[in-house]
Amino acid sequence: MESLWAPWRMEYIKGESPNECIFCLKSRPEEDRERMVLFRGEYSFVIINRYPYTNGHLMVAPFRHTVNLGDFTDAELIEIHRLVGLSCDVLKDCVNPDGFNVGLNIGRVAGAGIDDHLHYHIVPRWSGDTNFMPVLADVRVVPQHLEETYEQLRAAFERFKNRA
């Protein structure tokens, strides 16, 4: 029998969570690498999901702590949408997916793990990317370490930043 090694999942499995909102980080750019922030705009940012569904699973969140779409200004909404598009372009360049799932989970009953700070999920998908692991073992296999993914995507965001 072979083992699957995914030590970054232990925090999630144990239910450990930070005392503060993981998306409230506007005034702390010095923590971007540690927090896996890939790109910062004026109103929002792109971050790697530490508990990804697939390799390259990103999130776009506003700096402002709210979950109500009606609270955002037009400028905030436009930038968030542009960063979602930029994230898709970067992922196409780096991991060559066949498609994407892009969306919001608003409220705990809708699947939001963090339900008080709005964030979009960008999940790259490949033809045939569902295998026996989720069905038989309730496990997803992510083939690339998060640190390696971060370095690859951070460089790509730097190349694509003029599109933001």
Side-chain angles (χ1 to χ4, degrees):
M1 176 187 292
E2 291 192 39
S3 297
L4 294 176
W5 183 72
W8 59 87
R9 300 282 303 166
M10 189 52 66
E11 183 180 314
Y12 178 76
I13 291 166
K14 288 181 175 178
E16 296 171 8
S17 60
N19 294 332
E20 60 186 31
C21 175
I22 67 163
F23 297 118
C24 289
L25 49 76
K26 180 167 175 84
S27 63
R28 294 159 46 190
E30 69 279 0
E31 296 177 4
D32 282 358
R33 180 172 299 283
E34 176 187 339
R35 295 181 112 177
M36 300 206 144
V37 174
L38 293 165
F39 185 85
R40 286 174 171 263
E42 184 177 352
Y43 305 108
S44 54
F45 61 96
V46 181
I47 190 169
I48 290 178
N49 189 327
R50 286 193 182 271
Y51 310 108
Y53 293 118
T54 65
N55 191 54
H57 179 170
L58 305 180
M59 297 179 291
V60 174
F63 287 119
R64 189 143 56 104
H65 184 92
T66 185
V67 72
N68 184 1
L69 282 166
D71 290 346
F72 294 104
T73 66
D74 289 348
E76 288 172 313
L77 291 171
I78 288 168
E79 183 180 90
I80 290 168
H81 192 76
R82 285 190 178 175
L83 289 186
V84 168
L86 177 63
S87 296
C88 290
D89 289 345
V90 164
L91 289 166
K92 284 178 200 171
D93 183 66
C94 289
V95 298
N96 197 29
D98 297 319
F100 296 94
N101 291 118
V102 176
L104 298 166
N105 299 323
I106 300 176
R108 185 108 12 222
V109 299
I114 297 169
D115 61 355
D116 60 349
H117 196 131
L118 184 99
H119 56 284
Y120 284 77
H121 289 266
I122 300 102
V123 181
R125 301 299 306 269
W126 294 267
S127 181
D129 66 6
T130 300
N131 59 32
F132 70 95
M133 293 299 288
V135 175
L136 298 179
D138 196 26
V139 171
R140 289 187 177 93
V141 178
V142 178
Q144 187 177 41
H145 194 283
L146 289 176
E147 294 292 331
E148 186 179 336
T149 302
Y150 177 84
E151 294 301 330
Q152 179 184 14
L153 294 177
R154 179 79 180 208
F157 271 96
E158 189 63 30
R159 288 193 315 272
F160 281 73
K161 69 181 176 185
N162 63 341
R163 298 185 190 184

